[in-house]
Structures are given as C-alpha cells and as structure tokens.
Amino acid sequence: MEPTETTVSRGNAKELVASLEGPRESFLVVDENVLVHHPFVGEASTKRFVVPSGEEHKSWETLGRLLEAMDEARVDRGDQLIAFGGGVTTDLAGLGASLYRRGLPWIAVPTTLIGQVDAACGGKTAVNLAGGKNAVGTFHLPSQLVVDPDFLTTLPLRQVQSGMVELLKTAILEGEDLLTLVEALEPASFIQTDSADQADRVIACALTVKESFVKDDVKDEGPRWMLNLGHSFGHAFEALALPDLLHGEAIGLGLLCAARLGTHQGGEAGLEERLRKTLDTWGLPLTPPEGRASDPDALLDTMRRDKKVRKGQSTVILPLSPGRVEVMNGPSQEALRMGLEAVLEPIST
Ligand code: NAD
C-alpha cells in the first residue's frame, strides 16, 4: 500500500478544498455537523453523501446507502473520495472507498480529536454489526491525511474530553516525556485558539507515534497491536453502554482495567492511580453506567466475542510503566475479572 502523505497545520483543509480541481473528481463524504459548522467543506464537491451523527450510523445500512449514492453519482475508478468528519465518518468512508469498484483513492480530513490523533491515521476502516464493533472492515490507507486543528474549535467539550483519552493512550505507549505533556493539558486547550501552539504540538506528536506503529505493520499483525492498549476492555464497555458512553470514555475505563492487570504482572504500582487522577481532572467517567456495562459476566461475554479473539483466545495489552507495555495472550477469566475491578469496585482516593 502506498504510504499516506500527512500534514498538520491550521488552514490546510481550506487549502485542500481550494486545490481540488484536477484530473480526479471528488466525491464528498461529510459528517452532518461538520457541514453546518464548517460550510466551506461543501465546496469540495457537489457529489456528496452526508453521514448522520452518531456511532449507530457506522453501520452496514449506512455503508449500503453510501455505495448506492456513489453509484448514482456515477463515480468511477478515476475519481477519489474525500471524507470530512470524526472516526465514524472516516471509518465508514474509508471502507466505502476500499469496496467501491474494488477500490478508489481517498483523502481523510479528520475533524474530531479522536479522528486527528487516531482514527483517520493508519488505514483501518470499518462498520459495526449488531454483535460486534468494527466487525466488518478493510485496510485501506488514505492517500492524504489532512489534519487541521481549527476544526476542533467547534467540537462539543465532551467530544474533546473523549478524544483526550486516545492521546493519553498514545502517551503511555511513547513514554514519560509525552505523558507528562499530555497530563498537563486541559480540554479547553483544544477549543481555544490562544492555546493553539500547545494543542498543535501534542496532536502532531501523537500522530507521529501512531504512524511509527503503523509503518511496519499496516495489516495489524504484530507491533500495531500495542495501539489497542485499553481497547479490549474498552470496546466491551462501549458496546454494552451504547449510546451512553463515547468511544474515548469507554477506552478510559479500559485503560484503568489494563493498568490494574499490568500491576499484577509486575508493572509500576502507581500507574493506575496516576491515570485515574488524569481522567478525573479532565472530567471523564471512572465507572461505567449502571446496567449491562457494569455486569462483569456481560462484559466478559462481550470480550470473548471481540473481533481480535483468535481461536477463542483474546489478547490484552498491559501498560507496565510509561513507554513499556506487554502483550498478554489468552488471559484467564479470573485475570480479566481482576482487571474489571478497577472500575467496578473503584479504590477510594
Ligand atoms: P464521531 O465521528 O461520532 O464524532 C463525534 C461527534 O462530533 C459527532 O456528533 C459529530 O457529528 C461531531 N463532530 C465531528 N466533527 C465536528 C466538529 N469539528 N465540530 C462539531 N461537531 C463535530 O466520533 P469520534 O469520536 O470522532 O470517533 C469515534 C469512532 O472512531 C468510533 O467508531 C471508533 O471505533 C473509531 N475509531 C477508529 C480508529 C481507527 O483506527 N480506524 C481508531 C480510533 C477510533
């Protein structure tokens, strides 16, 4: 697969739209809220599909409607798809681009924090099925990744908070320097332009870390698994709490569970509490909502059905200390239960 050309700068999305006239015609896939808050995006193309807001629309049905819309617009193999939106839109659009006429090039323009530091980078595309998150997907790298932090100024605070968890995950993987930098951030840093330098720096740093994991393992066969830190537990919370927990909120809970298990495997004793304090300061939930997302049996059952399970064996990435993680293959049910206790029976501080 051809590598992605990545740029991070304020105003680069407008430059992209202004430069789109060329040999390839563009088909626009855009999140409905992005079109309202940033109407210049509509100038990318009159041929378009608007993605309704919400994880429930990252579905087989929406994918079918997107492919039909591309067909009705007579998109052909000489054209390209250009996607503006959060992870829901880029996951869906990337999948559409990889399937339509056996594959079109696509440009990703992420407009949420999760999208900018994670979802739009690395070519993983997907939609959910009733029984599993990201159950259908492909690997299809965008030809360009255009990251413009100005989009974040209109993002609801809760979405920013949720995105900061993916930053926290990346920082744990990278090491103490980035972790310290990320911990010192406030959600407002991403919304207000007077803290633009700091926000832009951290976004660019996190992207570089993610790209370094993807570079040698585009198809997710080894090194890239580390990026799933917090996700084995997190996806179970997300699936069972929908629509009450956002993706990053669920991954935050997953990080705490993984850290609890990591400590039992010889990891740094204070890491779980350090992460808990950061999540708390940023205003993120430390326990799942009541109901099935708080039921250990339902959570374990959901983890067993995760798409990463191979021959019945799941894999959990354990953080041992900043910059040091370990892959735990086939954890026992007791070990997973012990991890879940980090959020089902929180330690009082
Ligand atoms: P999202 O795409 O649902 O966007 C969140 C909300 O923000 C939506 O309501 C959207 O309409 C709105 N929005 C988007 N940009 C906006 C802007 N600039 N101003 C105002 N509102 C805006 O969610 P998300 O958090 O970006 O992404 C979560 C998804 O990403 C999940 O489905 C997750 O599985 C996926 N993901 C994928 C990868 C990957 O490698 N492919 C990695 C991480 C997450």
Side-chain angles (χ1 to χ4, degrees), residues 229-305:
L229 176 60
H231 284 60
S232 302
F233 289 103
H235 277 165
F237 292 116
E238 187 178 10
L240 293 179
L242 259 179
D244 296 335
L245 273 186
L246 297 181
H247 179 74
E249 293 171 342
I251 302 309
L253 298 174
L255 285 178
L256 295 177
C257 298
R260 171 71 60 97
L261 208 46
T263 307
H264 282 270
Q265 293 298 113
E268 199 175 280
L271 187 60
E272 180 189 332
E273 275 319 293
R274 183 174 174 184
L275 300 180
R276 190 186 305 280
K277 191 162 160 268
T278 304
L279 295 173
D280 197 25
T281 308
W282 290 346
L284 283 145
L286 303 178
T287 53
E290 281 180 15
R292 279 168 50 76
S294 284
D295 173 354
D297 294 325
L299 288 160
L300 290 172
D301 186 49
T302 306
M303 288 178 78
R304 271 192 290 273
R305 288 189 287 124

Side-chain angles (χ1 to χ4, degrees), residues 66-80:
L66 165 63
L67 295 173
E68 291 290 356
M70 292 171 79
D71 199 41
E72 271 167 36
R74 306 210 184 287
V75 173
D76 69 32
R77 293 197 72 178
D79 298 336
Q80 66 184 353

Side-chain angles (χ1 to χ4, degrees), residues 77-280:
R77 293 197 72 178
D79 298 336
Q80 66 184 353
L81 187 149
I82 175 163
F84 290 80
V88 165
T89 299
T90 52
D91 275 11
L92 174 80
L95 182 54
S98 73
L99 295 176
Y100 186 80
R101 310 270 151 135
R102 299 207 173 92
L104 296 187
W106 71 295
I107 299 176
V109 190
T111 62
T112 62
L113 187 53
I114 287 194
Q116 297 196 344
V117 300
D118 198 352
C121 167
K124 275 191 189 177
T125 78
V127 293
N128 305 324
L129 293 182
K133 189 158 159 65
N134 298 331
V136 179
T138 55
F139 294 97
H140 189 48
L141 285 171
S143 58
Q144 287 182 61
L145 171 58
V146 177
V147 176
D148 183 346
D150 265 345
F151 279 114
L152 306 182
T153 54
T154 58
L155 200 59
L157 178 65
R158 189 174 166 206
Q159 296 290 346
V160 175
Q161 291 164 317
S162 169
M164 289 176 80
V165 178
E166 294 284 10
L167 271 178
L168 186 63
K169 174 203 79 177
T170 307
I172 299 167
L173 292 172
E174 174 63 4
E176 188 59 49
D177 288 353
L178 186 59
L179 184 57
T180 308
L181 199 67
V182 166
E183 283 171 329
L185 291 170
E186 290 170 15
S189 321
F190 295 96
I191 301 173
Q192 294 159 358
T193 43
D194 55 4
S195 38
D197 285 354
Q198 200 187 11
D200 297 6
R201 187 169 150 222
V202 174
I203 290 170
C205 244
L207 258 182
T208 308
V209 175
K210 171 137 192 195
E211 283 177 337
S212 71
F213 278 99
V214 171
K215 184 169 53 71
D216 300 325
D217 185 21
V218 175
K219 296 245 168 123
D220 205 14
E221 286 159 343
R224 195 172 170 171
W225 288 354
M226 307 308 154
L227 293 165
N228 288 320
L229 176 60
H231 284 60
S232 302
F233 289 103
H235 277 165
F237 292 116
E238 187 178 10
L240 293 179
L242 259 179
D244 296 335
L245 273 186
L246 297 181
H247 179 74
E249 293 171 342
I251 302 309
L253 298 174
L255 285 178
L256 295 177
C257 298
R260 171 71 60 97
L261 208 46
T263 307
H264 282 270
Q265 293 298 113
E268 199 175 280
L271 187 60
E272 180 189 332
E273 275 319 293
R274 183 174 174 184
L275 300 180
R276 190 186 305 280
K277 191 162 160 268
T278 304
L279 295 173
D280 197 25

